[in-house]
Coordinates of all heavy atoms in Angstrom, one line a residue:
D96 N -5.8 -11.3 -12.4 CA -5.5 -11.7 -13.7 C -6.7 -11.8 -14.6 O -6.6 -11.5 -15.8 CB -4.8 -13.1 -13.6 CG -3.4 -13.1 -13.0 OD1 -3.0 -12.0 -12.6 OD2 -2.7 -14.1 -13.0
L168 N 0.3 1.4 -10.3 CA 1.5 2.0 -10.8 C 2.3 1.0 -11.7 O 2.4 -0.1 -11.3 CB 2.4 2.5 -9.7 CG 3.6 3.4 -10.1 CD1 3.2 4.7 -10.5 CD2 4.6 3.4 -8.9
R360 N -20.0 1.7 17.9 CA -21.3 1.7 18.6 C -22.5 1.4 17.6 O -23.6 1.3 18.1 CB -21.6 3.1 19.2 CG -20.5 3.4 20.3 CD -20.7 4.8 20.8 NE -19.6 5.2 21.7 CZ -19.5 6.4 22.2 NH1 -20.4 7.4 21.9 NH2 -18.4 6.7 23.0

Side-chain angles (χ1 to χ4, degrees):
D96 287 6
L168 189 73
R360 299 174 187 172

